[in-house]
Amino acid sequence: MKKIYLDYAATTPVDFRIVKAMFPYFREKFGNTMSLHKFGQEAKLSLEKSRETVADLIEAKPNEIIFTSSATESNNFALKGIAFANKDKGKHIVISSIEHPCIMESAVWLEKQGFKITRLAVDKYGLVNPLDVKKEIKKDTILVSIIHASNEIGTIQPIEEIGKICKEKGIYFHTDAVQSFGKIPIDVNKMNIDLLTASSHKIYGPKGAACLFVKEATKIEPLLHGGGQEMGLRGSTVNVGAIAGFAKAVEICREEMREETQRLTILRDKLIKAVLKIEKAYLNGHSKKRLANNTNFRFSFIEGESLVIQLDLQGIAVSTGSACSSMKLEPSHVLLAIGLKPKEAHGSLRITLGRWTKEKDIDYLIKVLPGIVKNLRKISPYK
Ligand SMILES: Cc1ncc(COP(=O)(O)O)c(C=O)c1O
């Protein structure tokens, strides 16, 4: 039985080089970074080395990296932390309509606390128009938060232009870079980014480690109050081993990013070309401004879930969209935002590639998919 994983946007297996790098932290280097003895000092040293490595990838300073337990935590921290620290200046926040649920839900919660949220529309490719950002910035706006690359349709936003507008207007700019970090070069200074979310388990590191880049002098409230860890911005005993794994993942991405992007782009485009030969199959998202590892298709007259199940029976793991929303019965808010009808959104399938995707895996998928689509259409009540 084949076992082909094509759901790298949901999570990635841990690279064995990273497992090896983490190993000493379970037994030898297990100390608490806040302890004064040698065990503690050793852990603290490792933590600060990891901070330098992660900061380096995005041209940040080490003291601008706050380690967290997940991207969900980082995104909550960014939105709520900025909102509460700057509410005297204003209570208006701008986000896009295609953010990850952890931004969307944080925004809903902030509305309940009296903040005003503007959700920007996107075009049919999922692109935010920077001029719309400019138009929506009002006197009481304190934060703009726009996802860098969509976890569902892979569209890459014009982050640099949006950052420039925010800088000119003196507004904090946050980007959720979970899907782009380690895959696309990011320079927080050139792109005028004040806050950026990144995560380890999307780049072959362990789960339980992520970070929020917070530019020096940014006014932000901690989410977790505690023992003063992470420059007093995030209480909790630090998960040094997972963070060392995160740093190793960053190191490998830095070395392999360029070649990996080229390799995956070729595989992605081969897959897109083949799938679009299927009758009434369409690509969701932009053909060029998209992540090298992302494809998202829709097929008329079929449910995405049925496709996922049928492909799973053939040994291929894919998804209908964000792993966090795949259990919900509602159509994806991202696909609705790009103008799809609920029925079209329900017929969508996300196939995401990664470090261990081989050409033969794509060839196998290309071989089995048309037959599955044909069979499902035969029994489709929509047809
Ligand atoms: C763009 C984006 N933001 C945030 C998250 C949340 O990550 P986690 O569930 O690891 O906290 C994800 C995970 O899929 C994501 O893709």
Side-chain angles (χ1 to χ4, degrees), residues 70-72 75 100 102 147 151 176 178-179 201-202:
S70 70
T72 297
N75 281 343
H100 186 274
C102 59
I147 191 166
N151 48 306
D176 174 354
V178 167
Q179 296 289 343
H201 79 94
K202 308 287 187 185

Side-chain angles (χ1 to χ4, degrees), residues 21 29 31 36 44 62 64 91 108 117 124 161 168 171 179-180 189 208 235 257 263 345 377:
K29 302 185 182 180
L36 287 177
K44 178 88 179 133
E64 294 175 322
K91 289 187 135 190
V108 168
I117 309 288
K124 63 178 177 177
E161 282 173 76
E168 282 164 10
I171 310 291
Q179 296 289 343
S180 56
N189 304 305
M257 190 189 308
R263 189 183 77 85
R377 279 181 179 158

Side-chain angles (χ1 to χ4, degrees), residues 130-179:
L131 292 177
D132 289 344
V133 177
K134 196 171 187 173
K135 248 188 270 164
E136 288 302 335
I137 293 177
K138 307 280 187 292
K139 256 201 186 128
D140 61 342
T141 308
I142 49 173
L143 174 69
V144 171
S145 177
I146 307 287
I147 191 166
H148 188 189
S150 168
N151 48 306
E152 293 198 33
I153 55 173
T155 302
I156 301 167
Q157 300 297 339
I159 285 301
E160 199 165 338
E161 282 173 76
I162 298 170
K164 193 163 167 251
I165 290 166
C166 294
K167 190 178 181 189
E168 282 164 10
K169 299 265 185 186
I171 310 291
Y172 287 128
F173 175 45
H174 167 251
T175 186
D176 174 354
V178 167
Q179 296 289 343

